[in-house]
């Protein structure tokens, strides 16, 4: 049985500005509009947007598998960079850091999405590999997500 990739990166140029993308990207309640996996979420503990240490709960679905994760913002530099980590729990002991960088271009911006699995045990690694086959190679799905994010941001905020 295989193991999951420990990191990945996709970059896509879109017509939306960094500010337009930032507005949609940081409204976690709307993530389901552009993500193939995240259905949405809500800010926790009185947070209402991204700031260092702010937490949110994201709801996900991939095929028949559904789960939610509490996440903590680890980088927030509007409208350039946002990053968060999945918070380990007794059930989900793994942690992944997700980062989005927004770089202005002549026609909009370049969105770069990165992930890095910073903690996962061998049992969880093999289990996720077996239960969520789409996580074995996420590059196409993540590039499609980033493309949709840019398209929706250009429409939603224009």
């Amino acid at each position: 049985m295989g193991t999951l990739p420990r990191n990945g990166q996709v970059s896509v140029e879109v017509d939306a500005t960094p500010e337009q993308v930032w507005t949609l990207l940081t409204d976690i309640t709307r993530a389901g509009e552009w993500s193939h996996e995240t259905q949405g979420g809500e800010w926790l503990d009185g947070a209402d947007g991204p700031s260092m240490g702010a937490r949110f709960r994201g709801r996900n679905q991939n095929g028949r598998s559904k789960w939610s994760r509490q996440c903590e913002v680890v980088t927030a530099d509007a409208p350039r960079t946002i990053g968060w980590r999945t918070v380990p729990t007794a059930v989900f002991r793994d942690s992944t850091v997700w980062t989005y960088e927004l770089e202005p271009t002549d026609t909009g911006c370049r969105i770069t999405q990165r992930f890095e699995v910073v903690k996962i045990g061998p049992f969880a690694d093999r289990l996720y590999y077996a239960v969520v086959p789409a996580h074995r190679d996420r590059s196409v799905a993540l590039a499609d997500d980033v493309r949709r994010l840019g398209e929706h941001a250009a429409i939603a905020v224009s």
Side-chain angles (χ1 to χ4, degrees):
M1 185 177 295
T3 59
L4 297 174
R6 294 297 186 260
N7 57 58
Q9 173 180 315
V10 296
S11 291
V12 175
E13 289 196 28
V14 299
D15 293 334
T17 67
E19 293 79 10
Q20 289 173 308
V21 173
W22 180 267
T23 298
L24 182 57
L25 176 60
T26 59
D27 184 350
I28 60 167
T29 65
R30 297 180 61 193
E33 294 176 24
W34 53 270
S35 175
H36 77 284
E37 186 167 279
T38 302
Q39 304 299 299
E42 61 273 339
W43 291 103
L44 302 174
D45 304 322
D48 61 359
S51 60
M52 290 293 292
R55 289 189 177 212
F56 64 90
R57 177 167 306 284
R59 294 181 316 278
N60 305 294
Q61 181 174 354
N62 197 308
R64 292 184 292 173
S65 299
K66 292 183 180 182
W67 67 98
S68 69
R69 294 297 301 262
Q70 189 173 122
C71 302
E72 178 181 39
V73 176
V74 295
T75 306
D77 180 20
R80 303 287 184 200
T81 306
I82 183 168
W84 62 84
R85 72 180 181 101
T86 55
V87 177
T89 67
V91 175
F92 296 109
R93 296 181 180 176
D94 62 299
S95 183
T96 299
V97 175
W98 293 89
T99 306
Y100 288 80
E101 294 178 352
L102 311 176
E103 179 185 347
T105 64
D106 290 340
T107 59
C109 74
R110 178 178 301 105
I111 305 170
T112 300
Q113 179 189 41
R114 292 184 178 88
F115 74 89
E116 179 184 3
V117 178
V118 293
K119 179 181 180 186
I120 192 167
F123 175 76
D125 189 12
R126 289 182 186 91
L127 177 66
Y128 296 161
Y129 185 89
V131 174
V132 190
H135 285 192
R136 296 175 191 169
D137 180 2
R138 306 179 81 165
S139 54
V140 171
L142 296 178
D144 288 345
D145 285 353
V146 170
R147 193 171 296 107
R148 275 190 303 275
L149 171 60
E151 290 168 359
H152 284 264
I155 294 167
V157 187
S158 56

